[in-house]
Amino acid sequence: MANKIHGVAIDAGSGLEASIKDARQDRATPEDLLIFKRAVLETLGPDASTVLLDANCGPDLLGNYPAGCDRMLAFEADVYHISNEDRITVLPDNFTVADYPSMGVQLLKFFIYYAPDDDAALNERKHELVADIGQRCKDAGIRYLMEPLVYHPTIAPGTAEYAKLKPDLVRRATAVFSDPKFQVDVLKVEIPVDLNFVEGFGQPLMSRADALQAFRDASAAANGIDLVYLSAGVAFEWFEASLKMAGEAGVDFAGFMCGRAIWSDGVALFGAQGEDALRDWLADTGKIRLSRLIAALG
């Protein structure tokens, strides 16, 4: 596939802000989150095809995008302020989808927590929201990158029981949102296996052959819609390995959107030594990590 997406995601909100505040301690200022995101954007943006920013900081940083790096804004309020009862994404109140073209933004990212086995009425509300945003993107003439984050109503992620279910959850969610009624241009999806339970990485609950088949099954469910993989906070080396596994499985995926796996180690450095040290680290380790992920696309 030509024109692969090699994206850097820096759309984290209050969770990242809290981590930075903890790292900065008595040196913390109200501008620290913006400073951190600006550093990531300006340092890694020249080597990325796009950088994803959040609805709160993003509008203030649109002028900082380097040439050749596409602007992408998340159409979400803070992802940490979502009700645990329905897990429906809260929309931002500082701009609308119709404002994207005037801001010079052609890519919209929207995520929703989705459990294929959840209450049917709840899932229908989520379907309607995803479809409504899809229609608004079409009306505005912008591309719609939609991210279903799967969960199970009763089984916690990170457990062996959840690891057994994850391939099917990712496959089913991908199949749902590949329906043309949602008007999705790109599906941003999770790695369909938990490497903690895959042969060669962690507890061998799943063989490597079965893991590769899980990649094939989940990608086939997209019905031709471009897929990009998200890092979901895993360690850099494991996300790199996951991209290589997708290639080994023969998946023709469109690229990746990677956040914490690239830049999270810079939070502590920023806290201890400040912006200049952060930028130096991003220009060295951050760029190396991004280049390795790009190379993993083959």
Side-chain angles (χ1 to χ4, degrees):
M1 181 179 295
N3 300 319
K4 293 274 190 176
I5 296 170
H6 35 94
V8 175
I10 185 68
D11 57 328
S14 61
L16 175 58
E17 185 174 30
S19 296
I20 291 173
K21 186 174 182 179
D22 287 344
R24 296 282 284 163
Q25 297 184 355
D26 59 356
R27 296 177 296 274
T29 75
E31 296 298 310
D32 283 341
L33 183 63
L34 194 69
I35 290 169
F36 187 92
K37 294 192 177 199
R38 183 186 296 118
V40 173
L41 172 61
E42 292 181 346
T43 309
L44 300 183
D47 297 325
S49 64
T50 185
V51 172
L52 167 63
L53 292 172
D54 63 294
N56 293 317
C57 292
D60 293 328
L61 294 173
L62 293 177
N64 297 90
Y65 274 80
C69 180
D70 292 336
R71 296 170 173 176
M72 185 189 304
L73 280 186
F75 192 61
E76 307 141 5
D78 194 325
V79 298
Y80 294 97
H81 293 164
I82 292 175
S83 166
N84 287 329
E85 294 181 5
D86 59 24
R87 300 197 190 191
I88 291 182
T89 309
V90 179
L91 303 183
D93 58 12
N94 53 327
F95 57 79
T96 69
V97 176
D99 294 322
Y100 273 62
S102 64
M103 294 190 292
V105 182
Q106 291 298 317
L107 291 165
L108 178 149
K109 171 257 183 180
F110 177 74
F111 96 97
I112 200 155
Y113 288 114
Y114 190 76
D117 295 312
D118 219 336
D119 177 75
L122 172 59
N123 278 347
E124 183 56 31
R125 288 170 58 200
K126 294 181 178 181
H127 296 167
E128 290 173 357
L129 178 58
V130 172
D132 177 64
I133 293 174
Q135 183 60 51
R136 287 195 263 171
C137 286
K138 181 179 181 181
D139 293 343
I142 59 175
R143 286 176 61 77
Y144 186 18
L145 187 145
M146 190 264 157
E147 174 183 350
L149 286 176
V150 300
Y151 68 97
H152 189 278
T154 60
I155 300 172
T159 63
E161 189 176 7
Y162 184 81
K164 293 177 183 178
L165 298 175
K166 186 177 181 182
D168 193 54
L169 294 176
V170 173
R171 180 191 63 79
R172 291 166 65 194
T174 301
V176 166
F177 294 107
S178 67
D179 189 305
K181 72 180 181 181
F182 296 109
Q183 305 190 72
V184 172
D185 295 299
V186 181
L187 277 168
K188 180 185 176 191
V189 296
E190 296 171 77
I191 300 298
V193 297
D194 183 343
L195 292 186
N196 285 295
F197 299 96
V198 173
E199 174 190 7
F201 294 94
Q203 179 184 344
L205 185 70
M206 174 182 284
S207 71
R208 185 176 182 88
D210 285 344
L212 293 174
Q213 189 60 46
F215 274 94
R216 298 184 192 105
D217 292 344
S219 66
N223 293 321
I225 292 180
D226 284 348
L227 291 180
V228 298
Y229 289 111
L230 61 101
S231 57
V234 301
F236 168 77
E237 289 77 10
W238 278 22
F239 186 56
E240 180 185 36
S242 297
L243 296 181
K244 290 180 177 179
M245 285 186 71
E248 181 183 346
V251 176
D252 187 20
F253 62 106
F256 63 83
M257 291 295 303
C258 184
R260 288 168 287 174
I262 293 179
W263 50 254
S264 64
D265 291 339
V267 173
L269 185 66
F270 178 52
Q273 300 181 38
E275 182 182 359
D276 288 345
L278 170 65
R279 285 180 178 265
D280 288 344
W281 181 86
L282 288 168
D284 182 16
T285 304
K287 281 180 171 285
I288 289 171
R289 288 179 176 179
L290 180 56
S291 68
R292 282 174 57 177
L293 295 181
I294 294 170
L297 300 182

